[in-house]
PDB file of all heavy atoms in Angstrom:
ATOM      1  N   HIS A  83       5.906   0.733   1.710  1.00  0.00           N
ATOM      2  CA  HIS A  83       4.809   1.217   2.568  1.00  0.00           C
ATOM      3  C   HIS A  83       4.231   2.512   2.038  1.00  0.00           C
ATOM      4  O   HIS A  83       3.139   2.903   2.413  1.00  0.00           O
ATOM      5  CB  HIS A  83       5.319   1.419   3.988  1.00  0.00           C
ATOM      6  CG  HIS A  83       6.344   2.487   4.130  1.00  0.00           C
ATOM      7  ND1 HIS A  83       7.486   2.553   3.332  1.00  0.00           N
ATOM      8  CD2 HIS A  83       6.408   3.574   4.926  1.00  0.00           C
ATOM      9  CE1 HIS A  83       8.201   3.593   3.670  1.00  0.00           C
ATOM     10  NE2 HIS A  83       7.572   4.251   4.624  1.00  0.00           N
ATOM     11  N   SER A 124       9.457  -5.722   2.384  1.00  0.00           N
ATOM     12  CA  SER A 124       9.237  -4.447   3.091  1.00  0.00           C
ATOM     13  C   SER A 124      10.439  -4.078   3.956  1.00  0.00           C
ATOM     14  O   SER A 124      10.356  -3.171   4.778  1.00  0.00           O
ATOM     15  CB  SER A 124       8.004  -4.556   3.981  1.00  0.00           C
ATOM     16  OG  SER A 124       8.231  -5.590   4.946  1.00  0.00           O
ATOM     17  N   HIS A 125      11.538  -4.769   3.820  1.00  0.00           N
ATOM     18  CA  HIS A 125      12.745  -4.424   4.578  1.00  0.00           C
ATOM     19  C   HIS A 125      13.457  -3.270   3.861  1.00  0.00           C
ATOM     20  O   HIS A 125      13.639  -3.308   2.650  1.00  0.00           O
ATOM     21  CB  HIS A 125      13.660  -5.642   4.712  1.00  0.00           C
ATOM     22  CG  HIS A 125      13.094  -6.708   5.589  1.00  0.00           C
ATOM     23  ND1 HIS A 125      13.855  -7.723   6.132  1.00  0.00           N
ATOM     24  CD2 HIS A 125      11.841  -6.941   6.027  1.00  0.00           C
ATOM     25  CE1 HIS A 125      13.086  -8.516   6.873  1.00  0.00           C
ATOM     26  NE2 HIS A 125      11.855  -8.062   6.807  1.00  0.00           N
ATOM     27  N   ALA A 126      13.884  -2.295   4.646  1.00  0.00           N
ATOM     28  CA  ALA A 126      14.396  -1.045   4.080  1.00  0.00           C
ATOM     29  C   ALA A 126      15.753  -1.220   3.404  1.00  0.00           C
ATOM     30  O   ALA A 126      16.465  -2.179   3.635  1.00  0.00           O
ATOM     31  CB  ALA A 126      14.503   0.001   5.196  1.00  0.00           C
ATOM     32  N   GLY A 155      13.673   6.534   0.688  1.00  0.00           N
ATOM     33  CA  GLY A 155      13.438   7.534   1.724  1.00  0.00           C
ATOM     34  C   GLY A 155      14.733   7.969   2.387  1.00  0.00           C
ATOM     35  O   GLY A 155      15.735   7.254   2.352  1.00  0.00           O
ATOM     36  N   ASP A 156      14.690   9.122   3.055  1.00  0.00           N
ATOM     37  CA  ASP A 156      15.888   9.594   3.758  1.00  0.00           C
ATOM     38  C   ASP A 156      16.245   8.638   4.886  1.00  0.00           C
ATOM     39  O   ASP A 156      17.404   8.427   5.221  1.00  0.00           O
ATOM     40  CB  ASP A 156      15.655  11.015   4.278  1.00  0.00           C
ATOM     41  CG  ASP A 156      14.466  11.095   5.221  1.00  0.00           C
ATOM     42  OD1 ASP A 156      13.339  10.789   4.796  1.00  0.00           O
ATOM     43  OD2 ASP A 156      14.665  11.422   6.399  1.00  0.00           O
ATOM     44  N   GLY A 157      15.230   8.023   5.480  1.00  0.00           N
ATOM     45  CA  GLY A 157      15.499   7.043   6.532  1.00  0.00           C
ATOM     46  C   GLY A 157      16.191   5.824   5.983  1.00  0.00           C
ATOM     47  O   GLY A 157      17.225   5.393   6.507  1.00  0.00           O
ATOM     48  N   ALA A 158      15.646   5.284   4.902  1.00  0.00           N
ATOM     49  CA  ALA A 158      16.236   4.087   4.297  1.00  0.00           C
ATOM     50  C   ALA A 158      17.659   4.353   3.838  1.00  0.00           C
ATOM     51  O   ALA A 158      18.505   3.462   3.853  1.00  0.00           O
ATOM     52  CB  ALA A 158      15.377   3.617   3.123  1.00  0.00           C
ATOM     53  N   ASN A 186      11.753  13.425   3.617  1.00  0.00           N
ATOM     54  CA  ASN A 186      10.780  14.087   4.499  1.00  0.00           C
ATOM     55  C   ASN A 186      11.337  14.245   5.897  1.00  0.00           C
ATOM     56  O   ASN A 186      10.622  14.480   6.852  1.00  0.00           O
ATOM     57  CB  ASN A 186       9.463  13.296   4.534  1.00  0.00           C
ATOM     58  CG  ASN A 186       9.696  11.843   4.941  1.00  0.00           C
ATOM     59  OD1 ASN A 186      10.690  11.522   5.580  1.00  0.00           O
ATOM     60  ND2 ASN A 186       8.801  10.957   4.518  1.00  0.00           N
ATOM     61  N   ARG A 188      12.298  12.259   8.026  1.00  0.00           N
ATOM     62  CA  ARG A 188      11.900  11.342   9.113  1.00  0.00           C
ATOM     63  C   ARG A 188      11.968   9.899   8.661  1.00  0.00           C
ATOM     64  O   ARG A 188      11.788   9.580   7.501  1.00  0.00           O
ATOM     65  CB  ARG A 188      10.455  11.610   9.532  1.00  0.00           C
ATOM     66  CG  ARG A 188      10.128  13.015   9.891  1.00  0.00           C
ATOM     67  CD  ARG A 188       8.696  13.097  10.338  1.00  0.00           C
ATOM     68  NE  ARG A 188       8.530  12.468  11.642  1.00  0.00           N
ATOM     69  CZ  ARG A 188       8.490  13.159  12.790  1.00  0.00           C
ATOM     70  NH1 ARG A 188       8.596  14.465  12.766  1.00  0.00           N
ATOM     71  NH2 ARG A 188       8.352  12.554  13.935  1.00  0.00           N
ATOM     72  N   SER A 189      12.236   9.027   9.662  1.00  0.00           N
ATOM     73  CA  SER A 189      11.856   7.640   9.532  1.00  0.00           C
ATOM     74  C   SER A 189      10.513   7.586  10.242  1.00  0.00           C
ATOM     75  O   SER A 189       9.561   8.154   9.750  1.00  0.00           O
ATOM     76  CB  SER A 189      12.884   6.744  10.220  1.00  0.00           C
ATOM     77  OG  SER A 189      14.080   6.740   9.486  1.00  0.00           O
ATOM     78  N   LYS A 305       5.911  14.478   5.464  1.00  0.00           N
ATOM     79  CA  LYS A 305       5.202  13.249   5.818  1.00  0.00           C
ATOM     80  C   LYS A 305       3.837  13.645   6.415  1.00  0.00           C
ATOM     81  O   LYS A 305       3.761  14.504   7.281  1.00  0.00           O
ATOM     82  CB  LYS A 305       6.009  12.467   6.854  1.00  0.00           C
ATOM     83  CG  LYS A 305       5.680  11.005   6.941  1.00  0.00           C
ATOM     84  CD  LYS A 305       6.763  10.250   7.719  1.00  0.00           C
ATOM     85  CE  LYS A 305       6.738   8.772   7.447  1.00  0.00           C
ATOM     86  NZ  LYS A 305       7.832   8.042   8.080  1.00  0.00           N
ATOM     87  N   HIS A 321       2.818   7.499  10.822  1.00  0.00           N
ATOM     88  CA  HIS A 321       3.553   6.586   9.958  1.00  0.00           C
ATOM     89  C   HIS A 321       2.731   5.336   9.675  1.00  0.00           C
ATOM     90  O   HIS A 321       2.504   4.960   8.544  1.00  0.00           O
ATOM     91  CB  HIS A 321       4.877   6.219  10.618  1.00  0.00           C
ATOM     92  CG  HIS A 321       5.624   5.179   9.866  1.00  0.00           C
ATOM     93  ND1 HIS A 321       6.506   5.473   8.850  1.00  0.00           N
ATOM     94  CD2 HIS A 321       5.588   3.829   9.949  1.00  0.00           C
ATOM     95  CE1 HIS A 321       6.984   4.350   8.356  1.00  0.00           C
ATOM     96  NE2 HIS A 321       6.447   3.339   9.002  1.00  0.00           N
ATOM     97  N   MET A 367      13.732   3.118  15.412  1.00  0.00           N
ATOM     98  CA  MET A 367      12.368   2.821  15.840  1.00  0.00           C
ATOM     99  C   MET A 367      12.200   2.935  17.354  1.00  0.00           C
ATOM    100  O   MET A 367      11.756   2.012  18.024  1.00  0.00           O
ATOM    101  CB  MET A 367      11.969   1.420  15.351  1.00  0.00           C
ATOM    102  CG  MET A 367      12.029   1.286  13.851  1.00  0.00           C
ATOM    103  SD  MET A 367      11.707  -0.373  13.257  1.00  0.00           S
ATOM    104  CE  MET A 367       9.942  -0.458  13.449  1.00  0.00           C
ATOM    105  N   ILE A 389      18.276   3.424  10.288  1.00  0.00           N
ATOM    106  CA  ILE A 389      17.781   2.093   9.879  1.00  0.00           C
ATOM    107  C   ILE A 389      18.988   1.254   9.507  1.00  0.00           C
ATOM    108  O   ILE A 389      19.282   1.015   8.329  1.00  0.00           O
ATOM    109  CB  ILE A 389      16.786   2.215   8.712  1.00  0.00           C
ATOM    110  CG1 ILE A 389      15.724   3.265   8.991  1.00  0.00           C
ATOM    111  CG2 ILE A 389      16.106   0.854   8.457  1.00  0.00           C
ATOM    112  CD1 ILE A 389      14.698   3.428   7.884  1.00  0.00           C
ATOM    113  N   GLU A 391      20.474  -1.999  11.151  1.00  0.00           N
ATOM    114  CA  GLU A 391      20.513  -3.099  12.124  1.00  0.00           C
ATOM    115  C   GLU A 391      21.896  -3.737  12.201  1.00  0.00           C
ATOM    116  O   GLU A 391      22.344  -4.129  13.280  1.00  0.00           O
ATOM    117  CB  GLU A 391      19.468  -4.155  11.769  1.00  0.00           C
ATOM    118  CG  GLU A 391      18.024  -3.756  12.087  1.00  0.00           C
ATOM    119  CD  GLU A 391      17.396  -2.877  11.024  1.00  0.00           C
ATOM    120  OE1 GLU A 391      18.062  -2.584  10.014  1.00  0.00           O
ATOM    121  OE2 GLU A 391      16.236  -2.462  11.213  1.00  0.00           O
ATOM    122  N   PHE A 416      13.506  -8.108  11.312  1.00  0.00           N
ATOM    123  CA  PHE A 416      14.662  -7.318  10.853  1.00  0.00           C
ATOM    124  C   PHE A 416      15.980  -7.854  11.411  1.00  0.00           C
ATOM    125  O   PHE A 416      17.052  -7.429  10.997  1.00  0.00           O
ATOM    126  CB  PHE A 416      14.480  -5.837  11.218  1.00  0.00           C
ATOM    127  CG  PHE A 416      13.238  -5.227  10.649  1.00  0.00           C
ATOM    128  CD1 PHE A 416      12.423  -4.414  11.413  1.00  0.00           C
ATOM    129  CD2 PHE A 416      12.846  -5.499   9.341  1.00  0.00           C
ATOM    130  CE1 PHE A 416      11.247  -3.868  10.899  1.00  0.00           C
ATOM    131  CE2 PHE A 416      11.687  -4.963   8.811  1.00  0.00           C
ATOM    132  CZ  PHE A 416      10.887  -4.154   9.598  1.00  0.00           C
TER     133      PHE A 416
HETATM  134  C1  TPP B 701      15.486  -3.185   7.695  1.00  0.00           C
HETATM  135  C2  TPP B 701      14.276  -2.430   8.199  1.00  0.00           C
HETATM  136  N1  TPP B 701      14.304  -1.896   9.432  1.00  0.00           N
HETATM  137  C3  TPP B 701      13.230  -1.247   9.920  1.00  0.00           C
HETATM  138  C4  TPP B 701      12.096  -1.119   9.161  1.00  0.00           C
HETATM  139  C5  TPP B 701      10.862  -0.461   9.743  1.00  0.00           C
HETATM  140  N2  TPP B 701      10.483   0.728   8.989  1.00  0.00           N
HETATM  141  C6  TPP B 701       9.466   0.732   8.146  1.00  0.00           C
HETATM  142  S1  TPP B 701       9.251   2.199   7.405  1.00  0.00           S
HETATM  143  C7  TPP B 701      10.523   2.882   8.316  1.00  0.00           C
HETATM  144  C8  TPP B 701      10.901   4.306   8.148  1.00  0.00           C
HETATM  145  C9  TPP B 701      11.372   4.528   6.727  1.00  0.00           C
HETATM  146  O1  TPP B 701      11.801   5.875   6.616  1.00  0.00           O
HETATM  147  P1  TPP B 701      12.021   6.448   5.163  1.00  0.00           P
HETATM  148  O2  TPP B 701      12.856   5.515   4.378  1.00  0.00           O
HETATM  149  O3  TPP B 701      12.507   7.819   5.333  1.00  0.00           O
HETATM  150  O4  TPP B 701      10.569   6.424   4.499  1.00  0.00           O
HETATM  151  P2  TPP B 701       9.308   7.327   4.903  1.00  0.00           P
HETATM  152  O5  TPP B 701       8.479   6.483   5.854  1.00  0.00           O
HETATM  153  O6  TPP B 701       9.823   8.559   5.543  1.00  0.00           O
HETATM  154  O7  TPP B 701       8.621   7.582   3.609  1.00  0.00           O
HETATM  155  C10 TPP B 701      11.105   1.928   9.115  1.00  0.00           C
HETATM  156  C11 TPP B 701      12.229   2.170  10.047  1.00  0.00           C
HETATM  157  C12 TPP B 701      12.107  -1.693   7.869  1.00  0.00           C
HETATM  158  N3  TPP B 701      11.004  -1.640   7.069  1.00  0.00           N
HETATM  159  N4  TPP B 701      13.193  -2.325   7.412  1.00  0.00           N
END
Side-chain angles (χ1 to χ4, degrees):
H83 65 309
S124 61
H125 291 197
D156 59 299
N186 55 23
R188 307 183 71 99
S189 289
K305 201 165 199 175
H321 174 88
M367 301 175 76
I389 311 181
E391 285 82 1
F416 302 136

